[in-house]
Amino acid sequence: MLIGLAVIASFVGPWCIEEDPLAQNLDQALKAPSLEHPFGTDHLGRSVLSRLVHGTRHSLILAAVCVGLSVCLGTIAGLTAGLFPGFIDNVIMRLVDGLMAFPGTLLAIVLAGTLGSGSSGLVLALVLSSWCDYCRLVRNIVRSTLNKPYMEAGRLLGFDRFFLTRRYLLGQITPHLFTLASLGMGRTILNVSSLGFLGIGLRPPTPEWGAMITQGLPYLSEASYLVLFPGAAIFGTVLSFQIIAGFSKVHSQ
């Protein structure tokens, strides 16, 4: 439900809300929620509702791009490691072990800080810090599935490993990838907001949930809604993806 509302808000909301999320009006600064401004205004007189809606689009699109690239990169690497045991498997898995030795969020912060702010650096940092989970998942499924009797029979009948991968392995991998990707969406949204909160996410004045919280902190005592609304958006969206992942895990078992 909340995911549907977030998607609708991200794509339909900007057309329904006429207020420019970047337009400043100091005469309207720190106005409490009202009929004119349902979510109030920030310290520069910008509509919090407009910025929240546009920030939803940025957060969802960034998360979808990061998770999609991570799934593709991790699946390719995991299939390669699982289908070619020995040297190739060892090289890929040692790389994965090295990257996973660092906490994912810390690695994303270091990479984003090194690459600079902006969407391209942010996407690259989040992909490099998260593809390893998908690689290990796919590799483990491939290695366990290759020992199944029907895979042995397929090899004895002369089918190559690419046909067996397309015919049998992808069907085994997809449900687990969907569950992990659902968790990844929530985690990525949280990471995007965390990086924005630290000032190394999207460049200002781009509306983004984490940056909105940072900008609202100095006015917490007099305008708590500046932190409450973006915080609630992050909490609700991440929780929704966690719930989706839980349901998909149950159905995949």
Side-chain angles (χ1 to χ4, degrees), residues 25-36:
N25 184 358
L26 296 179
D27 293 334
Q28 297 290 321
L30 298 178
K31 292 290 185 180
S34 62
L35 291 177
E36 183 182 3

Side-chain angles (χ1 to χ4, degrees), residues 37-241:
H37 299 290
F39 284 11
T41 61
D42 65 6
H43 61 294
L44 296 176
R46 299 173 296 192
S47 169
V48 174
L49 176 59
S50 180
R51 290 181 63 78
L52 198 65
V53 168
H54 284 78
T56 302
R57 171 182 288 186
H58 291 135
S59 295
L60 289 181
I61 291 178
L62 270 176
V65 171
C66 292
V67 171
L69 291 175
S70 298
V71 169
C72 292
L73 179 60
T75 300
I76 293 172
L79 285 172
T80 304
L83 293 173
F84 298 95
F87 177 75
I88 295 178
D89 179 32
N90 288 330
V91 170
I92 294 175
M93 297 315 297
R94 295 299 76 75
L95 174 62
V96 169
D97 292 339
L99 289 174
M100 294 191 73
F102 297 93
T105 303
L106 177 60
L107 182 60
I109 291 173
V110 172
L111 291 173
T114 303
L115 297 171
S117 59
S119 58
S120 58
L122 186 60
V123 168
L124 183 58
L126 292 174
V127 170
L128 290 177
S129 64
S130 60
W131 69 274
C132 300
D133 294 329
Y134 304 97
C135 177
R136 295 193 70 169
L137 171 70
V138 172
R139 187 252 189 190
N140 291 337
I141 294 175
V142 170
R143 295 298 295 273
S144 62
T145 306
L146 286 176
N147 296 324
K148 298 291 179 64
Y150 56 83
M151 296 294 288
E152 293 285 351
R155 285 195 292 269
L156 291 175
L157 290 173
F159 295 116
D160 59 37
R161 66 185 68 194
F162 297 105
F163 173 82
L164 294 174
T165 299
R166 186 175 65 253
R167 181 67 176 83
Y168 296 110
L169 290 177
L170 292 181
Q172 298 281 343
I173 293 170
T174 302
H176 299 280
L177 278 179
F178 180 80
T179 301
L180 189 58
S182 298
L183 291 171
M185 281 291 293
R187 184 171 62 246
T188 302
I189 289 173
L190 195 59
N191 285 337
V192 169
S193 300
S194 300
L195 294 174
F197 181 82
L198 295 174
I200 52 178
L202 297 177
R203 294 188 180 95
T206 303
E208 191 276 319
W209 292 341
M212 290 175 66
I213 293 177
T214 300
Q215 294 163 6
L217 283 177
Y219 312 95
L220 185 60
S221 60
E222 55 186 310
S224 59
Y225 57 87
L226 293 178
V227 174
L228 176 63
F229 289 127
I234 296 171
F235 174 77
T237 306
V238 173
L239 177 63
S240 298
F241 279 112

Side-chain angles (χ1 to χ4, degrees), residues 13-26:
W15 297 94
C16 300
I17 300 175
E18 298 180 356
E19 293 174 294
D20 186 350
L22 305 181
Q24 301 180 15
N25 184 358
L26 296 179

